[in-house]
Amino acid sequence: MLAHNLLYTYIAPYLQQMHIDLRPDIALVVFGIAAIGGIWITGMLVDRMLRRLTLASVGLFIVAGAILIATQGVTPLAILAIILWGLAFGGSATQLQTATGHVAGENADAAISLVTTSFNLAIFAGGAIGAFLVEGTGAWTLPLAMIILAFITLITVGFGRRAAFRSDR
């Protein structure tokens, strides 16, 4: 959530500093359309393969971040990365809520409400940390931060196979 909000909040300075010939509103529309695809894919697979789906989504998110690092002035590459980012992140709320519900059992309603709170905190933190990165080192560091945070997520999901991401679900 935080990794997403870092770039989502500061997409305009990222595009400008990376010399990408793409307006922020168009970039966000492309992201949104791709995110709908991610939601659709998640809807089809979340009940049958939650852990693999989540690992694939986070892995794709990392690939999108890597492409974003390499997009200096290459608009088609940036568009590809934005599409992959949308596909990867689109179903994340459903994936996280499903995993949280599995772990919480009879307390699922309360636990899932914390996922929403976490999203709100990530929006705040993405704005604050993103501002620090954009002003301090430049917007090119946003995808790098995305990759680092997503890698931590990949490890967490990988080790979560005994609780939220069990293979027998």
Side-chain angles (χ1 to χ4, degrees):
M1 294 178 277
L2 175 58
H4 160 76
N5 282 294
L6 287 170
L7 186 61
Y8 192 83
T9 304
Y10 292 98
I11 191 70
Y14 169 79
L15 294 170
Q16 180 185 27
Q17 290 180 22
M18 294 297 286
H19 307 288
I20 304 298
D21 187 26
L22 185 64
R23 293 184 354 216
D25 58 337
I26 301 299
L28 294 176
V29 166
V30 169
F31 171 85
I33 292 168
I36 291 169
I39 292 166
W40 181 71
I41 292 166
T42 295
M44 289 189 340
L45 302 175
V46 71
D47 291 327
R48 290 181 286 153
M49 52 184 356
L50 174 62
R51 183 170 180 268
R52 286 184 282 168
L53 175 64
T54 306
L55 289 170
S57 294
V58 176
L60 188 59
F61 191 82
I62 291 169
V63 169
I67 294 170
L68 287 168
I69 289 173
T71 61
Q72 181 71 28
V74 185
T75 302
L77 198 57
I79 292 169
L80 171 64
I82 291 167
I83 291 168
L84 296 177
W85 169 29
L87 284 171
F89 190 74
S92 64
T94 301
Q95 294 164 19
L96 292 171
Q97 288 176 341
T98 302
T100 301
H102 287 169
V103 168
E106 67 182 47
N107 298 313
D109 289 341
I112 290 172
S113 70
L114 294 176
V115 173
T116 303
T117 302
S118 298
F119 267 91
N120 290 328
L121 289 171
I123 292 168
F124 161 74
I129 295 168
F132 176 78
L133 291 172
V134 169
E135 291 297 318
T137 57
W140 70 269
T141 58
L142 296 172
L144 179 61
M146 285 173 59
I147 291 169
I148 292 167
L149 291 167
F151 186 70
I152 293 167
T153 303
L154 195 65
I155 292 169
T156 303
V157 173
F159 282 114
R161 65 178 162 258
R162 292 187 185 177
F165 297 98
R166 291 185 4 209
S167 61
D168 63 341
R169 295 193 188 270

